Amino acid sequence: MTLRTEPVTVNIGPQHPSTHGVFRLRVTFDGEVIQEVEPVFGYLHRGSEKLAEERTYSQVITLTDRLDYVASMTNNQAYVLALEKLCHVQPAERGLYLRVIAAELQRIASHLVATGFLLQDLGAFGTPLMYCFRERERILDMFEMLCGARITHSYLRIGGVFQDAPEEFWPALRIFLHDMPPYIDEYEQLLAENEILVARTKGVGLLSQEMAIASSTSGPVLRASGVPWDLRKADPYEVYDRFDFDIPVGTAGDSYDRFIVRIQEMRQSLRIVQQAVDQLPGGTSVGKVPVRAKVPFFIRPPVGDAYAHVEAPKGELGFYLVSDGSIAPYRCKIRSPSFINLTPLKEMLIGWKLADLVVILGSIDINMGEVDR
Amino acid sequence: MYGIGVLKGMAVTLKNFLRPSFTVQYPEESLPQHPRFRGQDFVWYEERCTGCASCAKYCPLGIIRIVTDPSGVATPQGDKYKVLAFDIDLGRCMYCGLCVEGCPYDALHMGSGFERARYRRQELVIPVEELRRMPKRPSTWFRPQMETKGYDPRMGKELPWQEAGRHEAPDVEKMKERWVKER
């Protein structure tokens, strides 16, 4: 005679450290093994899209800072690009290069957070996270030089950036570019060669190439599954077609690959920043070349709509703007990468154990500010 | 073979152990801010302010309240509105700096401090009297003329309004010409 066993349903979150925000998962376990997953969002919903309809176009830039709050620069970039498309504004050349430098530094900062928190989730409490945050701190210091804020930048404006970089930014950037590669090697050494970490991430949370494409994932999650899709190459925006860089791709599509892809992307970002500094019109002199096209603050775009997307650190971030000719957007739709990257969550989680859930969720690198908007 | 990766990881930790520490003990010592840092203690030069309320209009949250009376005299511009109330609700402010960007007379500046925590929300509202007597250590955010002069709020020196400079002094003749052309 066999005894019937009951599956147990457990709520993980919304206050759970491994969920990277207020993300709730209702998980049904058969003993230790995950049987059924039901994600519950909305705990951080602030109605950004609706709020945008009540702000003027320039004021919405401050709202976009709060979507993915560890990568505000790319949020600004996506919104500003959509707005420039809508208004047919030609941005200043130097402003575009400054945007690229800022966006790539932001990508490094965001990937550092992802790497640090993966190691934290795996039990290496504190130490590796502090290593990653040490370098992130330097990037944030540089952002403070650029725009006076560390997290909520609002640096980009329609037609360029709000102000030229100060003098002391360029030496700081040069030292950073010189110091960073050995640090990235260190993270790789910590990450890739540790047997415990390899045992816990290799082959865990598999996402096949077909499934990754079918569930329209983007960013490192998609590239780790072996799809070389990067909007900077596939649909070059701004001045990305002038730089020489590679798209790192994984092979297996497991948690390990997703992190190796992120580490390699940091190296590529450093390459792009270096090239952008070399090609920068006006060089490192301050205030000689305009960084911002002359655009009124209360801009009235012609009636119409525009969609622009950028390769944010977490994937494709898109803004769809509809204008009715007034000073405020009629509709502002945000396609956020973290939200859509959660689509294959069920496929990735079912069959794995509770301890793997933390790793898999960490490897997708979600940000709740962006998921709930 | 287990253990090699762990030893390599420990080598990284040992290397970092020998590096100088990068954390500071905050209340005793604090990290310096860049002059562009958008801080909390707003700097307002009443001599320059005409009470046009551009800052209130530019603010995405509408947290600036201005009440004016048409009887004041602005030192540089001449006629102006007398500012009776100029309240900034720091409890809701997100320090985006759009009010500073919008100010046509360079009268409002971001501050340079970050330690304005209070126990009550009411105390987070800066009333006009406090704004008048607050130390004038403006941030150089959106004020390139201060940057070229090399002003640094961290040095602790107050900046009187005569020295704050204008980022683009509007030429009256040019403005008149433009106005005529556009009509």
Side-chain angles (χ1 to χ4, degrees):
Chain A
M1 187 185 116
T2 51
L3 281 173
R4 201 172 60 88
T5 53
E6 276 289 318
V8 181
T9 305
V10 178
N11 272 309
I12 299 178
Q15 280 87 25
H16 192 277
S18 74
T19 50
H20 300 254
V22 279
F23 182 45
R24 178 172 159 214
L25 278 166
R26 202 181 290 141
V27 191
T28 309
F29 287 103
D30 174 19
E32 185 93 356
V33 181
I34 298 168
Q35 261 186 350
E36 185 59 43
V37 179
E38 194 195 333
V40 185
F41 325 115
Y43 291 94
L44 202 61
H45 178 69
R46 294 149 298 177
S48 298
E49 294 179 3
K50 191 72 192 165
L51 284 174
E53 292 168 18
E54 297 167 2
R55 304 279 186 280
T56 65
Y57 284 95
S58 300
Q59 289 172 345
V60 175
I61 295 173
T62 58
L63 290 179
T64 62
D65 283 340
R66 278 128 187 107
L67 293 175
D68 179 0
Y69 40 77
V70 297
S72 300
M73 284 288 185
T74 41
N75 298 347
N76 288 177
Q77 197 184 17
Y79 173 73
V80 165
L81 269 177
L83 192 47
E84 278 165 3
K85 229 183 211 176
L86 191 62
C87 307
H88 311 291
V89 170
Q90 181 56 43
E93 185 87 356
R94 186 178 166 86
L96 287 181
Y97 276 92
L98 283 170
R99 277 187 198 179
V100 167
I101 292 171
E104 292 307 315
L105 287 176
Q106 185 72 82
R107 191 183 314 279
I108 298 171
S110 174
H111 285 350
L112 281 173
V113 173
T115 314
F117 275 109
L118 169 85
L119 292 160
Q120 169 110 335
D121 290 345
L122 284 165
F125 193 78
T127 312
L129 182 70
M130 285 309 267
Y131 294 166
C132 292
F133 269 51
R134 176 185 53 199
E135 267 60 69
R136 181 168 175 264
E137 180 75 16
R138 293 174 68 174
I139 297 174
L140 296 188
D141 279 345
M142 281 194 275
F143 284 156
E144 194 183 301
M145 289 179 196
L146 280 178
C147 58
R150 300 158 63 81
I151 301 289
T152 50
H153 306 108
S154 304
Y155 179 51
L156 274 58
R157 293 286 189 279
I158 318 156
V161 297
F162 95 93
Q163 204 177 315
D164 208 344
E167 268 170 41
E168 54 269 37
F169 174 75
W170 301 108
L173 181 64
R174 202 170 52 238
I175 297 169
F176 175 77
L177 288 175
H178 175 262
D179 289 355
M180 196 57 195
Y183 282 126
I184 297 179
D185 293 341
E186 260 182 31
Y187 305 140
E188 196 163 13
Q189 203 176 335
L190 271 176
L191 189 73
E193 296 178 19
N194 189 324
E195 289 96 351
I196 302 167
L197 193 137
V198 170
R200 290 211 45 198
T201 52
K202 259 223 161 108
V204 174
L206 282 173
L207 181 65
S208 67
Q209 196 167 335
E210 294 75 37
M211 190 62 214
I213 295 172
S215 51
S216 65
T217 56
S218 54
V221 178
L222 178 66
R223 288 193 284 274
S225 296
V227 188
W229 176 261
D230 189 320
L231 286 173
R232 290 173 292 172
K233 283 260 195 220
D235 180 16
Y237 50 94
E238 295 185 338
V239 287
Y240 274 106
D241 47 348
R242 299 179 201 172
F243 306 123
D244 173 37
F245 60 98
D246 306 321
I247 306 173
V249 282
T251 45
D254 52 8
S255 305
Y256 181 79
D257 272 7
R258 287 195 269 280
F259 272 90
I260 291 301
V261 162
R262 288 203 175 94
I263 297 253
Q264 287 168 349
E265 264 182 30
M266 282 194 238
R267 294 205 176 97
Q268 299 302 326
S269 291
L270 285 178
R271 264 178 77 189
I272 297 173
V273 174
Q274 185 62 56
Q275 290 173 50
V277 174
D278 294 341
Q279 294 178 20
L280 191 71
T284 54
S285 61
V286 180
K288 298 279 189 298
V289 183
V291 291
R292 186 175 176 181
K294 281 228 180 302
V295 179
F297 183 84
F298 293 103
I299 190 166
R300 278 174 201 272
V303 177
D305 58 345
Y307 178 76
H309 51 190
V310 300
E311 185 69 31
K314 294 175 176 71
E316 179 190 335
L317 174 66
F319 274 82
Y320 178 63
L321 287 174
V322 183
S323 162
D324 57 353
S326 68
I327 55 169
Y330 178 76
R331 176 87 173 93
C332 173
K333 166 85 183 79
I334 305 161
R335 185 241 190 250
S336 60
S338 301
F339 179 59
I340 297 186
N341 284 354
L342 282 175
T343 316
L345 189 68
K346 210 176 241 185
E347 282 72 19
M348 287 156 88
L349 283 179
I350 286 175
W352 296 99
K353 296 199 174 77
L354 171 62
D356 298 322
L357 181 145
V358 176
V359 179
I360 295 167
L361 202 60
S363 73
I364 307 174
D365 188 20
I366 57 161
N367 186 304
M368 288 318 282
E370 206 173 42
V371 175
D372 292 338
R373 301 196 280 283
Chain B
M1 170 69 187
Y2 281 105
I4 292 175
V6 175
L7 284 177
K8 276 187 180 166
M10 291 308 274
V12 172
T13 355
L14 188 68
K15 218 192 311 179
N16 280 291
F17 178 68
L18 298 171
R19 281 184 188 140
S21 101
F22 67 100
T23 49
V24 295
Q25 300 297 322
Y26 164 58
E28 282 81 35
E29 51 178 323
S30 60
L31 290 169
Q33 270 71 49
H34 191 265
R36 267 191 199 179
F37 176 69
R38 307 200 292 251
Q40 292 183 314
D41 310 304
F42 280 88
V43 172
W44 178 57
Y45 294 119
E46 198 183 4
E47 294 87 349
R48 287 184 166 193
C49 183
T50 59
C52 70
S54 286
C55 43
K57 201 174 164 193
Y58 273 56
C59 178
L61 300 169
I63 57 164
I64 301 178
R65 180 175 150 264
I66 293 185
V67 178
T68 52
D69 182 60
S71 63
V73 175
T75 317
Q77 287 98 10
D79 292 358
K80 77 154 199 170
Y81 283 93
K82 193 177 172 188
V83 180
L84 300 176
F86 192 118
D87 301 348
I88 305 174
D89 184 359
L90 286 189
R92 289 174 63 208
C93 182
M94 55 183 179
Y95 307 102
C96 61
L98 285 183
C99 50
V100 177
E101 193 176 330
C103 184
Y105 300 103
D106 285 16
L108 190 67
H109 301 258
M110 297 302 286
S112 50
F114 58 91
E115 290 166 327
R116 205 184 183 282
R118 296 289 184 272
Y119 284 105
R120 284 167 205 284
R121 286 182 180 226
Q122 192 53 47
E123 293 167 18
L124 281 172
V125 180
I126 312 183
V128 68
E129 300 83 37
E130 199 188 335
L131 211 51
R132 275 191 189 114
R133 57 162 200 268
M134 261 193 330
K136 313 285 186 207
R137 283 190 212 103
S139 153
T140 62
W141 189 84
F142 213 77
R143 298 285 179 257
Q145 76 274 12
M146 287 187 197
E147 270 174 22
T148 45
K149 269 194 202 161
Y151 175 72
D152 188 345
R154 287 171 298 179
M155 292 190 294
K157 204 172 123 271
E158 289 200 27
L159 195 72
W161 68 269
Q162 294 93 337
E163 288 170 30
R166 290 289 291 273
H167 70 274
E168 42 181 43
D171 187 354
V172 180
E173 286 307 310
K174 260 188 195 158
M175 273 167 74
K176 225 182 255 175
E177 197 186 301
R178 210 180 111 201
W179 190 80
V180 171
K181 238 188 238 167
E182 278 179 10
R183 297 297 149 121

